[in-house]
Amino acid sequence: MILAIAPVAIAGATKSAVNLEAEALLKSGWWGDSSIIATNISAHCQWPGILCNDAGSVAEILLPGYEIQDDLTNFSFSSFPNLGRLDLSRNGLYGAIPHQIGALSKLTHLTLSNNFIKGIIPHSIANLTNLVTLDLSYNSLFGFIPSILGQLSNLEFLDLNNNHFSGVIPRTLSNLTKLSWLYIHGNPGIRGDLPEKIGNLKSLLELDLSYSGFSGSIPPTLGQLSNLYSLDLSTNHFSGTIPPTLFNLTNLSRLDIHWNPAIGGFLSEEVRNLKSLVELDFSGLNLSGALPSSLCGLTKLLMDNKHGDIFRIWNYDGNMAYDDIIKATNDFEVSYCIGTGGYGSVYRAQLPSGKVVALKKLHRLEGENPNFDKSFRNEADMLSKIRHRNILVLVNLIKGIASALSYLHHDCDPPIIHRDVSSNNILLNSQLEATLSDFGTARILELDSSNQTVTAGTFGYMAPELAYTMAVTEKSDVYSFGVVVLETLFGEHPRDFLSSFSSQPNEPTMLKDLLDARLPPPTNPLVVRSVVLATALALDCVNANPKCRPTMQQVVNRFEVGRREPTRPLHTIAVNQHVSPPVLSLPDQTCADGTSSLSTIK
């Protein structure tokens, strides 16, 4: 009797577990209309992004770019005991990573990159001892990088880049002896020395620690990473000299240490050992003496250069690069032109190396004018000194441009004013990712001077105070940003709106009537909240009084805080001025003439 019943009992238990998984998927709300999905709950293995094992249990959930736009609190992690892969990248996820994620004991691949996730990495992640891939990049995670990551002994890929981590790198990371790819770049809150024990990571193939706040000497133990083929330590605060042990890394094809001004001394002749080197960047260091003649022996090197390393702007063989550009654009054929500015045109070019770049070509008259040539070289110099993911590759148009400008104003030393923020200088690719371009008029902000300058910028985007003063400040960029945001939301330049708005400040206008009429009005509460927040911030930015405009840093912070605020349906929201109290305007903006804001019509 017992033997006869046992298989039935086991089958029943398996069926019950599968039903729990299906119900958990349904309750998450990620698969659209639940009333439709519910009628087919037994076929959950056929839902988008779901892969099941032979027993019908969920083994993989792969939903990159599925536009979930939710937090993770509605997802029952404990309901998926057999889940091996979870990819929720590029989904607009927000909120924190729940502690319950530690229940996924069989998980091998976890990807939550390119979202808006905040908070700390939960300590329960140490339970995921089978993890091979952990990708939390391009989020807003903060706090220390937890030392418990060192317990994930099977980890081969760890990507924490472009977050807000602070503190030092935990020494426990040196326990990850299987790690092949380690990316921690773009975390300017990170401080301190690089642990000496990093040399224990003998399996490392790529190590990127750029655009962070590391200081102290480059540890000589890096020379023990014999399998390394890419090392990027650029834009940090390393000091001392380049350790000769780095030249033991004979498999290196890329070595970038640029923009570490406290690194000095001579460049050793031992650089000759890097026979595999294709890209090398030592710019922005304080090296002394002549370059070693052994560099001539690096034949692969000679960031290949015949095709022109255009990302280093001037340091290439101009004739060879020009030949490649002529071929890539079919002699600057108009079909390759993606934009035209005041003194040049921008072309899309794919170089022989496979890189796709935006190429600026000066008009003939401007190219022969030394003033325009100086402006062009100024742009090139600016781009070679500042790099930020939201300047070179923006993943969200409005928030991205805000972050880029905040970086220029608050993270560059000295600060930089763009002076020509306009829709003409924002390039979009096929994925609607944007590039803030045209630094020909950019200016370094001298904090102890009046910053007198000639007028620069694009008509319709220039701040009104520039009509009566030549003193340029970062608030001029803020105004231009506000105009670009309104233009993005309205689908056209807001000149008529701004004119009527300033002349009739107390007469409300419904927000829904201002949005781009070619698009259906948003109904998703998350989208409405984003539109309302962006409009409120834009109106604060175009305030006629520059002192009443927010800083770009405040705008970026407001984007983060505003996603948690409730909002009403779109048809109840009006745009006006002098609302008391203001709705969704910046909390620290107190101006005598009032600030532009949004109000709710009951």
Side-chain angles (χ1 to χ4, degrees):
M1 293 290 293
I2 295 175
L3 291 176
I5 295 174
V8 178
I10 294 172
T14 302
K15 182 178 180 181
S16 176
V18 169
N19 286 341
L20 286 175
E21 292 182 352
E23 291 175 5
L25 294 175
L26 179 63
K27 288 181 180 178
S28 72
W30 294 351
W31 279 268
D33 190 338
S34 59
S35 63
I36 296 175
I37 296 294
T39 62
N40 200 22
I41 194 170
S42 61
H44 64 279
C45 292
Q46 278 72 53
W47 295 358
I50 300 295
L51 291 124
C52 296
N53 59 23
D54 292 340
S57 181
V58 177
E60 299 185 14
I61 300 177
L62 308 177
L63 295 173
Y66 200 62
E67 299 184 2
I68 294 173
Q69 295 186 338
D70 195 4
D71 60 19
L72 293 171
T73 57
N74 292 326
F75 189 76
S76 177
F77 291 98
S78 59
S79 299
F80 302 95
N82 297 307
L83 192 63
R85 289 175 177 261
L86 179 61
D87 186 348
L88 300 177
S89 58
R90 307 193 313 276
N91 270 299
L93 296 174
Y94 53 90
I97 300 175
H99 177 79
Q100 291 75 13
I101 200 169
L104 302 177
S105 60
K106 292 188 179 180
L107 202 65
T108 59
H109 294 75
L110 175 60
T111 304
L112 300 176
S113 61
N114 288 274
N115 284 296
F116 303 107
I117 298 172
K118 300 187 70 171
I120 63 172
I121 297 177
H123 278 62
S124 64
I125 210 164
N127 298 333
L128 308 183
T129 53
N130 289 306
L131 269 188
V132 174
T133 294
L134 177 59
D135 188 351
L136 304 177
S137 61
Y138 290 98
N139 279 292
S140 298
L141 295 165
F142 54 77
F144 295 156
I145 296 176
S147 59
I148 49 94
L149 290 182
Q151 300 177 29
L152 304 179
S153 57
N154 289 303
L155 212 58
E156 298 178 8
F157 183 99
L158 177 59
D159 194 344
L160 305 176
N161 84 77
N162 282 280
N163 278 283
H164 304 298
F165 291 115
S166 57
V168 299
I169 295 294
R171 301 185 187 279
T172 55
L173 289 190
S174 62
N175 298 332
L176 304 179
T177 55
K178 294 183 180 180
L179 201 63
S180 295
W181 295 273
L182 177 58
Y183 307 102
I184 311 183
H185 54 282
N187 283 282
I190 288 182
R191 294 287 184 269
D193 296 350
L194 198 57
E196 287 280 341
K197 288 189 175 181
I198 197 170
N200 293 349
L201 303 180
K202 300 294 179 60
S203 299
L204 271 186
L205 300 176
E206 289 193 33
L207 176 61
D208 192 342
L209 305 176
S210 61
Y211 299 95
S212 298
F214 292 106
S215 57
S217 300
I218 297 175
T221 52
L222 284 178
Q224 301 173 17
L225 306 180
S226 57
N227 292 309
L228 207 63
Y229 64 76
S230 179
L231 175 62
D232 194 340
L233 305 176
S234 62
T235 316
N236 276 286
H237 305 290
F238 287 115
S239 57
T241 61
I242 299 174
T245 55
L246 284 192
F247 305 131
N248 296 333
L249 303 178
T250 55
N251 287 315
L252 268 188
S253 63
R254 179 173 181 266
L255 176 59
D256 191 346
I257 314 180
H258 86 270
W259 208 250
N260 281 278
I263 290 181
F266 294 88
L267 186 58
S268 168
E269 288 281 352
E270 298 301 311
V271 72
R272 70 165 72 91
N273 297 333
L274 304 182
K275 299 292 187 182
S276 301
L277 212 59
V278 173
E279 299 180 40
L280 174 65
D281 195 343
F282 285 164
S283 61
L285 306 185
N286 195 25
L287 298 177
S288 55
L291 291 176
S293 58
S294 58
L295 277 174
C296 296
L298 304 181
T299 55
K300 291 187 178 180
L301 184 66
L302 297 177
M303 283 180 102
D304 215 38
N305 282 350
K306 69 180 181 179
H307 293 303
D309 183 357
I310 68 162
F311 293 106
R312 292 182 61 187
I313 312 298
W314 301 115
N315 300 329
Y316 61 86
D317 183 335
N319 291 328
M320 292 301 296
Y322 188 77
D323 289 342
D324 291 334
I325 288 167
I326 289 293
K327 294 177 182 177
T329 60
N330 197 20
D331 199 11
F332 297 105
E333 186 180 86
V334 68
S335 62
Y336 291 88
C337 184
I338 57 176
T340 301
Y343 64 95
S345 298
V346 180
Y347 294 80
R348 180 188 186 275
Q350 183 169 4
L351 301 183
S353 63
K355 294 177 180 177
V356 177
V357 298
L359 168 74
K360 175 171 283 188
K361 176 180 180 289
L362 294 180
H363 300 317
R364 177 180 293 275
L365 292 178
E366 284 78 359
E368 295 173 354
N369 186 321
N371 291 327
F372 283 103
D373 180 72
K374 180 180 178 181
S375 179
F376 186 74
R377 288 178 177 268
N378 178 52
E379 176 178 7
D381 185 58
M382 288 291 181
L383 288 175
S384 67
K385 291 180 179 177
I386 54 175
R387 288 175 62 185
H388 184 268
R389 70 177 171 115
N390 285 328
I391 290 177
L392 298 177
V393 183
L394 304 184
V395 296
N396 178 284
L397 181 59
I398 293 175
K399 186 180 175 230
I401 298 169
S403 182
L405 288 172
S406 177
Y407 173 77
L408 292 177
H409 293 177
H410 303 285
D411 294 328
C412 287
D413 187 16
I416 294 174
I417 308 173
H418 187 279
R419 294 206 300 164
D420 196 11
V421 178
S422 70
S423 58
N424 291 329
N425 291 331
I426 298 169
L427 305 179
L428 294 177
N429 66 12
S430 60
Q431 304 300 315
L432 295 184
E433 295 171 336
T435 299
L436 179 60
S437 64
D438 205 336
F439 283 76
T441 59
R443 180 180 177 86
I444 292 177
L445 181 62
E446 302 294 342
L447 298 179
D448 57 350
S449 75
S450 61
N451 291 289
Q452 296 286 325
T453 184
V454 295
T455 301
T458 301
F459 181 76
Y461 299 87
M462 291 164 43
E465 65 268 18
L466 296 181
Y468 55 83
T469 179
M470 290 192 300
V472 62
T473 72
E474 76 280 4
K475 293 300 183 72
S476 303
D477 278 354
V478 174
Y479 181 91
S480 301
F481 167 78
V483 177
V484 170
V485 173
L486 293 177
E487 184 175 8
T488 302
L489 295 172
F490 296 177
E492 60 183 3
H493 193 283
R495 59 177 59 86
D496 294 336
F497 165 79
L498 291 174
S499 176
S500 61
F501 191 70
S502 59
S503 62
Q504 298 177 342
N506 293 313
E507 186 171 324
T509 304
M510 303 308 296
L511 178 57
K512 67 179 180 61
D513 296 330
L514 295 172
L515 299 180
D516 192 340
R518 296 170 296 180
L519 301 175
T523 56
N524 185 311
L526 296 174
V527 178
V528 172
R529 182 187 304 161
S530 298
V531 169
V532 170
L533 178 60
T535 306
L537 287 171
L539 295 178
D540 281 331
C541 290
V542 297
N543 195 298
N545 185 348
K547 294 182 179 179
C548 294
R549 298 171 201 153
T551 65
M552 291 310 305
Q553 195 170 57
Q554 289 172 329
V555 170
V556 171
N557 292 338
R558 191 64 178 149
F559 268 115
E560 296 295 333
V561 175
R563 286 202 307 272
R564 300 193 297 268
E565 296 179 347
T567 189
R568 293 179 179 269
L570 184 65
H571 68 273
T572 67
I573 299 172
V575 181
N576 62 351
Q577 282 184 320
H578 303 287
V579 177
S580 182
V583 177
L584 279 181
S585 65
L586 293 166
D588 51 356
Q589 294 298 304
T590 53
C591 298
D593 62 347
T595 58
S596 305
S597 61
L598 302 186
S599 65
T600 302
I601 303 298
K602 302 285 186 168

